[in-house]
C-alpha cells in the first residue's frame, strides 16, 4: 500500500507541475500579444538577416562569370602567334628565305669557260653569271640546262643534290655552275648530237615557277660541242672550285 500511495502522490505532483507550467506559458503568450507593433518589428529583425544569406549565391554568380571573361586565353590572344608563324617577314614573295629578290635574267651577264686542255674532247665547262646591278640578288637550286635549242629540248640532269641554301650574288658579284656535256669515249666516224650554245632557265625561290632563261655562248674557239645522255650540271655555287670539283671527277 505504501509503495502504491507514494507512486500516486508522485503522479499528482507531476500533474500539478504540468498545470502550473501551462499557466505560465499562457500568461506569457497573453503578454506578448499585448505588445505594440514596434515591438513586432524588433522581433522580426533577426529574420531580416535572411537576405544576407543570399549574398553567397550572388558571389557565386560573379565567380561563374569569371571564366567567360577570360579572353586572355582565348582566340584573341592566339591570333598573334599564328600570324608570326605564317609571316615570313625576312622572305620575299618568291620565298627564297633571304631579304633579297631572285636574280632577273635581264640583270645577269653570262660567260662560259672550257676546262679541258687543248686537243682533248670538250667535256667540262664552267658557267659564270655576273650580277650587273649594285643590289644583291639570289640564285636558287640548279639551273635548268638545255643543250639543244627550244623549250622541248631535254633538261640536263643535276649532279647530286643542289645545296638547299640559295646563293646570294652580291652587286657586281659572280656565281657559278659546273657543266659536263659528253661522256662517250668511242672514236671513229660515229655521229653525236651537237650544240652551239647552252641555255639555263632560272628557278624561282619556291621552286614552282621559272625565272627566265639565260643564254651561254660557247668560247670563241668552239663552234659546237658534242653532248650525250651523260651530261650533268651542278647547283649554283659561290666559288669556281665548289662547282667544278664534282664535275672534274666525271
Amino acid at each position: 500500500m505504501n509503495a502504491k500511495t507514494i507512486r500516486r502522490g508522485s503522479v499528482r505532483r507531476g500533474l500539478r507541475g504540468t498545470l502550473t507550467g501551462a499557466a505560465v506559458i499562457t500568461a506569457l503568450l497573453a503578454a506578448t500579444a499585448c505588445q505594440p507593433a514596434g515591438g513586432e518589428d524588433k522581433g522580426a529583425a533577426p529574420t531580416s538577416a535572411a537576405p544576407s544569406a543570399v549574398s553567397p549565391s550572388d558571389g557565386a554568380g560573379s565567380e561563374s562569370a569569371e571564366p567567360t571573361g577570360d579572353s586572355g586565353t582565348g582566340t584573341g590572344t592566339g591570333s598573334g602567334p599564328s600570324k608570326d608563324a605564317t609571316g615570313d617577314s625576312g622572305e620575299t614573295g618568291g620565298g627564297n628565305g633571304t631579304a633579297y629578290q631572285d636574280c632577273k635574267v635581264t640583270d645577269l651577264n653570262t660567260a662560259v669557260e672550257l676546262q679541258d686542255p687543248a686537243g682533248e674532247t670538250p667535256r667540262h665547262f664552267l658557267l659564270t653569271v655576273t650580277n650587273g646591278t649594285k643590289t644583291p640578288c639570289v640564285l636558287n637550286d640548279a639551273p635548268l640546262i638545255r643543250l639543244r635549242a627550244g623549250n622541248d629540248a631535254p633538261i640536263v640532269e643535276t649532279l647530286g643534290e643542289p645545296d638547299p641554301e640559295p646563293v646570294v650574288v652580291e652587286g657586281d658579284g659572280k656565281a657559278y655552275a659546273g657543266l659536263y656535256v659528253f661522256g662517250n669515249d668511242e672514236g671513229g666516224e660515229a655521229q653525236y648530237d651537237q650544240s652551239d650554245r647552252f641555255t639555263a632557265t632560272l628557278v624561282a625561290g619556291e621552286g614552282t615557277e621559272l625565272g627566265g632563261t639565260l643564254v651561254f655562248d660557247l668560247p670563241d674557239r668552239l663552234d659546237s660541242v658534242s653532248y650525250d645522255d651523260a651530261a650533268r650540271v651542278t647547283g649554283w655555287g659561290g666559288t669556281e672550285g665548289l662547282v667544278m670539283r664534282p664535275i672534274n671527277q666525271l
Side-chain angles (χ1 to χ4, degrees):
M1 289 292 295
N2 292 335
K4 290 181 180 180
T5 300
I6 293 171
R7 204 175 285 124
R8 286 174 185 158
S10 299
V11 171
R12 289 193 187 100
R13 285 195 298 271
L15 289 173
R16 282 198 299 269
T18 302
L19 291 174
T20 301
V24 172
I25 292 172
T26 302
L28 289 173
L29 291 174
T32 302
C34 294
Q35 288 182 353
E40 291 179 359
D41 292 338
K42 291 178 180 178
T47 61
S48 66
S52 66
V54 181
S55 60
S57 65
D58 292 341
S62 300
E63 292 175 2
S64 65
E66 287 178 3
T68 60
D70 241 349
S71 60
T73 57
T75 56
T77 303
S79 63
S82 67
K83 289 179 181 177
D84 291 341
T86 56
D88 296 327
S89 59
E91 295 187 359
T92 65
N96 61 36
T98 77
Y100 307 112
Q101 296 286 339
D102 287 350
C103 294
K104 299 178 181 178
V105 294
T106 52
D107 295 334
L108 298 176
N109 299 312
T110 62
V112 179
E113 183 180 344
L114 177 64
Q115 299 293 293
D116 300 301
E120 293 189 5
T121 302
R123 304 172 188 272
H124 307 83
F125 294 88
L126 175 67
L127 309 183
T128 303
V129 293
T130 302
N131 183 359
T133 73
K134 301 299 182 182
T135 303
C137 66
V138 172
L139 292 172
N140 307 286
D141 200 60
L144 304 183
I145 299 292
R146 290 181 172 88
L147 302 178
R148 187 174 71 235
N151 291 334
D152 59 340
I155 296 173
V156 174
E157 292 186 28
T158 304
L159 179 61
E161 290 293 331
D163 191 335
E165 294 297 324
V167 175
V168 177
V169 188
E170 299 293 340
D172 296 326
K174 300 178 183 297
Y176 309 92
L179 176 64
Y180 180 77
V181 297
F182 186 67
N184 198 326
D185 288 326
E186 295 181 7
E189 300 298 324
Q191 297 294 318
Y192 303 103
D193 292 325
Q194 299 291 310
S195 175
D196 63 355
R197 69 186 60 189
F198 311 137
T199 63
T201 302
L202 303 183
V203 177
E206 293 180 342
T208 57
E209 297 179 359
L210 303 180
T213 299
L214 297 168
V215 175
F216 289 84
D217 292 324
L218 297 180
D220 291 339
R221 62 189 182 90
L222 289 177
D223 294 328
S224 66
V225 295
S226 299
Y227 69 90
D228 59 17
D229 292 341
R232 295 292 184 272
V233 66
T234 68
W236 293 109
T239 65
E240 297 180 20
L242 183 65
V243 299
M244 289 308 303
R245 192 173 300 116
I247 288 294
N248 288 332
Q249 295 176 0
L250 297 179

